[in-house]
Structures are given as C-alpha cells and as structure tokens.
Amino acid sequence: MTVDTGDFTAWLRDFEGAALLRDTWGDPDWGRGARLEPALVRSLQRFQVGEDGDGGSLTAKADQAGDRVYAETIRLFVAEEREHARLLGRLLEAGGAETIPGHWTDAAFVRLRRMLGLRTELMVLMLAEVVALAYYRAVRDGVRDPLAAEVAGRILADELRHVPFHRDRLRRSFEGCSRPSRTAVAALWWLLLAGAVTVVALDHGHALRGVGASRTAFAREVVTAFGGVVADVTRP
C-alpha cells in the first residue's frame, strides 16, 4: 500500500551532509586505548548489539510506502545505526573487550518492531531512540575515559537528528485519524515506553551509576523526551 510520507528531501540532504561530515572527521584515535569499567563494558556490549541490525524489515516497509526520497533517507539512517555499532565495537576493542553475539532485550525489541507495518515499526523504534538520547548523553557527560566520551558524543549527535526525523514521518501517518484513535494509540505507546525504560534502567543501572546518572534521573529524562514526541505526533 502506498502511503503519503510527505516531502523528505530536506531530511535526505541532512543525512547526506552528516555522512560527508563523518568522512571529513575520520575515526577517533583508537590507538590511545580506553579504560572502561566492567559495568560499562557490559552495558556498551548490549547497546552495540542493538545498533547492529541490518535494517532489512524497515527498509522494505519504507520501499512499500511508495516515496523514493523517504526510502533513500531510511537507508542512510540504517547506515548511521550500523556506524554506531562499528564505533561501539572499536571502543570495546580499545578497552580490551569483545562484542557479544546477541542479547534477549534486543531480540524481543526486534520481534516487536516487525509485528505490523511501517508506522508500528517506527513507533517501537522511537522508544529505542529516546532511550538512546538519555543513555549516550549520560555516558558522554559522565564517563572519565576521553575516548568513550568522544564516541558517545558522536552517537548522541546523530540520535538528536533521528528523533525528529522519525517524529515527522509518524506525525504525517496520523493525519486524518480521529481523536479517540490518537488517544488510544498514545496510551498504548506510553505503556510500551514504561516497559522499555524499566528494563533499560534495571539492566544498565550499574553502568549509569558509574557515569553519575541514577536510574531515576535517567528514567525522568527519557519520559520528558518521549512526552514531547507523543504530543507532537498525536496532536490533531
């Protein structure tokens, strides 16, 4: 089914510009090594798994939406996510640690994302994006290792663009929906967010404390960011 995704040319140019900027910057100086606390290593390993998907389901659904520009932009988004996985993998290597093949939280998240169509996949993906904002900001601002701070800062800069990109597409997808439908979707979305932030806060709590962020402060930041997204997406 063809869906009107609107004009995403500006977003396409934005992602192309970000790719050019990354090429200009080059990689961090991996040779300086990294000193990572064990709790942070375990946490980064799990986030690395989450960033390392092939994006096949998302790109296929974007193709089916019938907007070539949007589909091309989604491919650049997927490439950025895979770049995040590469950066995290190199950071772990610099810290003397390995990546892991998988984690149950990522497997559950992927299954949930792929259940229905493009809108559902983007709504579930948005949960990960707002969680990532709070997580990478906490690592960037609180970790003592300069290399880890640089990697987290680079990823955070991308995530700050990903949230409004997906928000714009989701907002268009709700045009024409009734107020009761929007209210019901928002309630379910909040329920999913509550589950996601609880799992992440518990699973990564030791790492968050190690960079000076409490579970409560982390959850509060996620909820605040998500509240703005829900309001923008579901407003009439």
Coordinates of all heavy atoms in Angstrom, one line a residue, residues 99-153:
T99 N 32.8 -7.7 21.5 CA 31.4 -7.6 21.3 C 30.7 -8.9 21.6 O 31.4 -10.0 21.7 CB 31.0 -7.2 19.8 OG1 31.5 -8.2 18.9 CG2 31.6 -5.9 19.5
I100 N 29.4 -8.9 21.8 CA 28.7 -10.1 22.1 C 27.7 -10.4 20.9 O 27.3 -9.5 20.2 CB 27.9 -10.0 23.4 CG1 26.9 -8.8 23.4 CG2 28.8 -9.9 24.6 CD1 26.0 -8.7 24.6
P101 N 27.4 -11.7 20.7 CA 26.6 -12.1 19.5 C 25.1 -11.6 19.6 O 24.4 -11.5 18.6 CB 26.7 -13.6 19.5 CG 27.0 -14.0 20.9 CD 27.8 -12.9 21.4
G102 N 24.6 -11.4 20.8 CA 23.2 -11.1 20.9 C 22.8 -10.9 22.4 O 23.6 -11.2 23.3
H103 N 21.6 -10.4 22.6 CA 21.1 -10.2 24.0 C 19.6 -10.3 23.9 O 18.9 -9.9 22.9 CB 21.5 -8.9 24.5 CG 21.2 -8.7 26.0 ND1 20.1 -8.1 26.5 CD2 21.9 -9.2 27.1 CE1 20.2 -8.1 27.8 NE2 21.2 -8.8 28.2
W104 N 18.9 -10.9 24.9 CA 17.5 -11.1 24.9 C 16.7 -9.8 24.7 O 15.6 -9.9 24.0 CB 17.0 -11.9 26.1 CG 17.0 -11.0 27.4 CD1 18.0 -10.9 28.3 CD2 15.9 -10.2 27.8 NE1 17.6 -10.1 29.3 CE2 16.3 -9.6 29.1 CE3 14.6 -9.9 27.3 CZ2 15.5 -8.8 29.8 CZ3 13.8 -9.1 28.0 CH2 14.3 -8.5 29.3
T105 N 17.1 -8.7 25.2 CA 16.4 -7.5 25.1 C 16.3 -7.0 23.7 O 15.3 -6.6 23.2 CB 17.0 -6.4 26.0 OG1 18.4 -6.3 25.7 CG2 16.8 -6.7 27.4
D106 N 17.4 -7.2 22.9 CA 17.4 -6.8 21.5 C 16.5 -7.7 20.7 O 15.8 -7.3 19.8 CB 18.8 -6.8 21.0 CG 18.9 -6.5 19.5 OD1 18.6 -5.3 19.2 OD2 19.3 -7.3 18.7
A107 N 16.6 -9.0 21.0 CA 15.7 -10.0 20.3 C 14.3 -9.7 20.5 O 13.5 -9.7 19.5 CB 16.1 -11.4 20.7
A108 N 13.9 -9.4 21.7 CA 12.5 -9.0 22.0 C 12.1 -7.7 21.3 O 11.0 -7.6 20.7 CB 12.3 -8.9 23.5
F109 N 12.9 -6.8 21.3 CA 12.7 -5.5 20.7 C 12.5 -5.7 19.1 O 11.6 -5.1 18.6 CB 13.8 -4.5 21.0 CG 13.7 -3.2 20.3 CD1 12.9 -2.2 20.7 CD2 14.6 -2.9 19.2 CE1 12.8 -1.0 20.1 CE2 14.5 -1.7 18.6 CZ 13.6 -0.7 19.0
V110 N 13.3 -6.5 18.5 CA 13.2 -6.7 17.1 C 11.9 -7.4 16.7 O 11.3 -7.0 15.7 CB 14.5 -7.5 16.6 CG1 14.2 -7.9 15.1 CG2 15.7 -6.6 16.7
R111 N 11.6 -8.4 17.5 CA 10.3 -9.1 17.2 C 9.1 -8.1 17.3 O 8.2 -8.2 16.5 CB 10.1 -10.2 18.2 CG 11.1 -11.4 18.0 CD 10.6 -12.6 18.7 NE 11.6 -13.7 18.7 CZ 12.5 -13.9 19.7 NH1 12.5 -13.1 20.8 NH2 13.4 -14.8 19.6
L112 N 9.1 -7.3 18.3 CA 8.0 -6.3 18.5 C 8.0 -5.3 17.3 O 6.9 -5.0 16.8 CB 8.2 -5.6 19.8 CG 7.1 -4.6 20.2 CD1 5.8 -5.3 20.4 CD2 7.5 -3.9 21.5
R113 N 9.1 -4.8 16.9 CA 9.2 -3.9 15.8 C 8.6 -4.4 14.5 O 7.9 -3.7 13.7 CB 10.6 -3.5 15.5 CG 11.2 -2.3 16.4 CD 12.6 -2.1 16.0 NE 12.9 -1.9 14.6 CZ 14.1 -1.8 14.1 NH1 15.1 -1.8 14.9 NH2 14.2 -1.6 12.8
R114 N 8.8 -5.7 14.3 CA 8.5 -6.3 13.0 C 7.1 -6.9 12.9 O 6.7 -7.4 11.9 CB 9.5 -7.4 12.6 CG 10.9 -6.9 12.4 CD 11.9 -8.0 12.1 NE 13.2 -7.4 11.9 CZ 14.3 -8.2 11.7 NH1 14.2 -9.5 11.7 NH2 15.5 -7.6 11.4
M115 N 6.3 -6.7 14.0 CA 5.0 -7.3 14.0 C 4.0 -6.8 12.9 O 3.3 -7.6 12.3 CB 4.4 -7.1 15.4 CG 5.0 -8.0 16.5 SD 4.2 -7.7 18.1 CE 2.5 -8.1 17.8
L116 N 4.0 -5.5 12.7 CA 3.0 -4.9 11.8 C 3.7 -4.1 10.8 O 4.8 -4.4 10.3 CB 2.0 -4.2 12.6 CG 1.1 -5.0 13.6 CD1 0.3 -4.1 14.5 CD2 0.2 -6.0 12.8
G117 N 3.1 -2.9 10.4 CA 3.6 -2.1 9.3 C 4.6 -1.1 9.7 O 5.1 -1.1 10.8
L118 N 4.8 -0.2 8.8 CA 5.9 0.8 8.9 C 5.6 1.7 10.2 O 6.5 2.0 10.9 CB 5.9 1.7 7.7 CG 6.9 2.9 7.7 CD1 8.3 2.4 7.9 CD2 6.8 3.7 6.4
R119 N 4.3 2.1 10.3 CA 4.1 3.0 11.5 C 4.4 2.3 12.8 O 5.0 2.9 13.7 CB 2.6 3.5 11.4 CG 2.3 4.4 12.6 CD 1.0 5.2 12.4 NE -0.2 4.3 12.4 CZ -1.4 4.7 12.1 NH1 -1.7 6.0 11.8 NH2 -2.4 3.9 12.1
T120 N 4.0 1.1 12.9 CA 4.2 0.4 14.2 C 5.7 0.2 14.4 O 6.2 0.4 15.5 CB 3.6 -1.0 14.1 OG1 2.2 -0.9 14.0 CG2 3.9 -1.8 15.4
E121 N 6.5 -0.1 13.3 CA 7.9 -0.3 13.4 C 8.6 1.0 13.9 O 9.4 1.0 14.7 CB 8.5 -0.8 12.1 CG 10.0 -1.0 12.2 CD 10.5 -2.1 11.4 OE1 9.8 -2.8 10.7 OE2 11.8 -2.4 11.5
L122 N 8.1 2.1 13.3 CA 8.7 3.4 13.7 C 8.3 3.8 15.1 O 9.2 4.4 15.8 CB 8.2 4.5 12.7 CG 8.8 4.4 11.3 CD1 8.2 5.6 10.5 CD2 10.3 4.5 11.3
M123 N 7.1 3.5 15.6 CA 6.7 3.8 16.9 C 7.6 3.0 17.9 O 8.0 3.5 19.0 CB 5.2 3.5 17.1 CG 4.3 4.4 16.4 SD 2.6 4.0 16.6 CE 2.3 4.5 18.3
V124 N 7.8 1.7 17.6 CA 8.7 0.9 18.5 C 10.1 1.4 18.5 O 10.8 1.5 19.5 CB 8.6 -0.6 18.2 CG1 9.5 -1.4 19.1 CG2 7.1 -1.1 18.4
L125 N 10.6 1.7 17.2 CA 11.9 2.3 17.1 C 12.1 3.6 17.9 O 13.2 3.8 18.4 CB 12.2 2.5 15.6 CG 13.6 3.0 15.2 CD1 14.7 2.1 15.7 CD2 13.6 3.2 13.7
M126 N 11.1 4.4 17.9 CA 11.2 5.6 18.6 C 11.5 5.4 20.1 O 12.2 6.2 20.8 CB 9.9 6.5 18.5 CG 9.9 7.8 19.1 SD 11.2 9.0 18.4 CE 10.2 9.6 17.0
L127 N 11.0 4.3 20.7 CA 11.3 4.0 22.1 C 12.8 3.9 22.3 O 13.4 4.4 23.2 CB 10.6 2.7 22.5 CG 9.1 2.6 22.3 CD1 8.6 1.2 22.7 CD2 8.4 3.7 23.2
A128 N 13.4 3.2 21.3 CA 14.9 3.0 21.4 C 15.6 4.3 21.2 O 16.6 4.6 21.9 CB 15.3 2.0 20.4
E129 N 15.1 5.2 20.4 CA 15.8 6.4 20.1 C 15.8 7.4 21.3 O 16.8 8.0 21.6 CB 15.1 7.1 18.9 CG 15.2 6.3 17.6 CD 16.6 6.3 17.0 OE1 17.5 7.1 17.4 OE2 16.9 5.4 16.2
V130 N 14.6 7.5 22.0 CA 14.6 8.4 23.1 C 15.4 7.8 24.3 O 16.0 8.6 25.1 CB 13.1 8.7 23.5 CG1 12.4 9.5 22.5 CG2 12.3 7.5 23.9
V131 N 15.4 6.5 24.4 CA 16.3 5.9 25.4 C 17.7 6.1 25.1 O 18.5 6.5 26.0 CB 16.0 4.3 25.5 CG1 17.1 3.6 26.3 CG2 14.7 4.1 26.2
A132 N 18.1 6.0 23.8 CA 19.5 6.3 23.4 C 19.9 7.7 23.7 O 21.1 7.9 24.1 CB 19.6 6.0 21.9
L133 N 19.0 8.7 23.5 CA 19.3 10.1 23.8 C 19.8 10.2 25.3 O 20.9 10.8 25.5 CB 18.1 11.0 23.6 CG 17.7 11.3 22.2 CD1 16.5 12.2 22.2 CD2 18.9 12.0 21.5
A134 N 19.1 9.7 26.2 CA 19.4 9.8 27.6 C 20.7 9.0 27.9 O 21.5 9.4 28.7 CB 18.3 9.3 28.5
Y135 N 20.8 7.8 27.3 CA 21.9 6.9 27.6 C 23.3 7.5 27.2 O 24.2 7.7 27.9 CB 21.7 5.6 27.0 CG 22.9 4.6 27.2 CD1 23.0 3.9 28.4 CD2 23.8 4.4 26.2 CE1 24.1 3.0 28.6 CE2 24.9 3.5 26.4 CZ 25.0 2.9 27.6 OH 26.1 2.0 27.8
Y136 N 23.3 7.9 25.9 CA 24.6 8.4 25.3 C 24.9 9.8 25.9 O 26.1 10.1 26.1 CB 24.5 8.5 23.8 CG 24.5 7.1 23.2 CD1 23.5 6.6 22.4 CD2 25.6 6.2 23.4 CE1 23.5 5.4 21.9 CE2 25.6 5.0 22.8 CZ 24.6 4.5 22.1 OH 24.6 3.3 21.5
R137 N 23.9 10.6 26.3 CA 24.2 11.8 27.0 C 24.9 11.6 28.3 O 25.8 12.2 28.7 CB 23.0 12.7 27.1 CG 23.2 14.1 27.7 CD 22.0 14.9 27.8 NE 21.6 15.4 26.5 CZ 20.5 15.0 25.9 NH1 19.7 14.1 26.4 NH2 20.2 15.5 24.7
A138 N 24.3 10.6 29.1 CA 24.9 10.3 30.4 C 26.3 9.8 30.2 O 27.2 10.2 31.0 CB 24.0 9.2 31.0
V139 N 26.6 8.9 29.3 CA 27.9 8.4 29.1 C 28.9 9.5 28.6 O 30.0 9.7 29.2 CB 28.0 7.3 28.0 CG1 29.4 6.8 27.7 CG2 27.1 6.1 28.5
R140 N 28.4 10.3 27.7 CA 29.3 11.5 27.2 C 29.7 12.4 28.4 O 30.8 12.8 28.5 CB 28.6 12.2 26.1 CG 29.4 13.4 25.6 CD 28.5 14.4 24.9 NE 27.6 15.1 25.8 CZ 26.7 16.0 25.5 NH1 26.6 16.3 24.2 NH2 25.9 16.5 26.4
D141 N 28.7 12.7 29.2 CA 28.9 13.7 30.2 C 29.5 13.2 31.5 O 30.1 13.9 32.3 CB 27.6 14.4 30.6 CG 27.0 15.2 29.5 OD1 27.7 15.5 28.5 OD2 25.8 15.5 29.5
G142 N 29.4 11.9 31.7 CA 29.9 11.3 33.0 C 31.0 10.4 33.0 O 31.7 10.2 34.0
V143 N 31.4 9.8 31.8 CA 32.4 8.8 31.8 C 33.8 9.5 31.9 O 34.0 10.7 31.4 CB 32.4 8.0 30.5 CG1 32.8 8.8 29.3 CG2 33.2 6.7 30.6
R144 N 34.7 8.9 32.5 CA 36.0 9.5 32.7 C 37.0 9.3 31.6 O 37.9 10.0 31.4 CB 36.7 9.0 34.0 CG 35.9 9.3 35.3 CD 36.6 8.8 36.5 NE 35.9 9.1 37.7 CZ 36.2 8.7 39.0 NH1 37.3 8.0 39.1 NH2 35.5 9.1 40.0
D145 N 36.7 8.3 30.8 CA 37.6 8.0 29.7 C 37.3 8.9 28.5 O 36.2 9.0 28.0 CB 37.4 6.5 29.3 CG 38.3 6.1 28.1 OD1 39.5 5.9 28.4 OD2 37.8 6.1 27.0
P146 N 38.3 9.6 28.0 CA 38.1 10.5 26.9 C 37.6 9.9 25.6 O 36.8 10.5 24.9 CB 39.5 11.2 26.7 CG 40.2 10.9 27.9 CD 39.7 9.6 28.5
L147 N 38.1 8.7 25.3 CA 37.7 8.0 24.0 C 36.2 7.6 24.1 O 35.5 7.8 23.1 CB 38.6 6.8 23.8 CG 38.3 6.1 22.5 CD1 38.5 7.0 21.2 CD2 39.2 4.8 22.3
A148 N 35.8 7.1 25.2 CA 34.4 6.7 25.4 C 33.5 7.9 25.3 O 32.4 7.9 24.8 CB 34.2 6.0 26.8
A149 N 34.0 9.1 25.9 CA 33.2 10.3 25.9 C 33.1 10.8 24.4 O 32.0 11.2 24.0 CB 33.8 11.4 26.7
E150 N 34.1 10.7 23.6 CA 34.1 11.1 22.2 C 33.1 10.2 21.4 O 32.3 10.8 20.6 CB 35.5 11.1 21.6 CG 35.5 11.5 20.2 CD 36.8 11.5 19.5 OE1 37.8 11.3 20.2 OE2 36.9 11.7 18.3
V151 N 33.2 8.9 21.6 CA 32.3 8.0 20.9 C 30.9 8.3 21.2 O 30.0 8.4 20.4 CB 32.7 6.6 21.1 CG1 31.6 5.6 20.6 CG2 34.0 6.3 20.5
A152 N 30.6 8.4 22.5 CA 29.2 8.7 23.0 C 28.7 10.0 22.4 O 27.5 10.1 22.0 CB 29.1 8.7 24.5
G153 N 29.6 11.0 22.4 CA 29.2 12.3 21.8 C 28.9 12.2 20.3 O 27.9 12.9 19.9

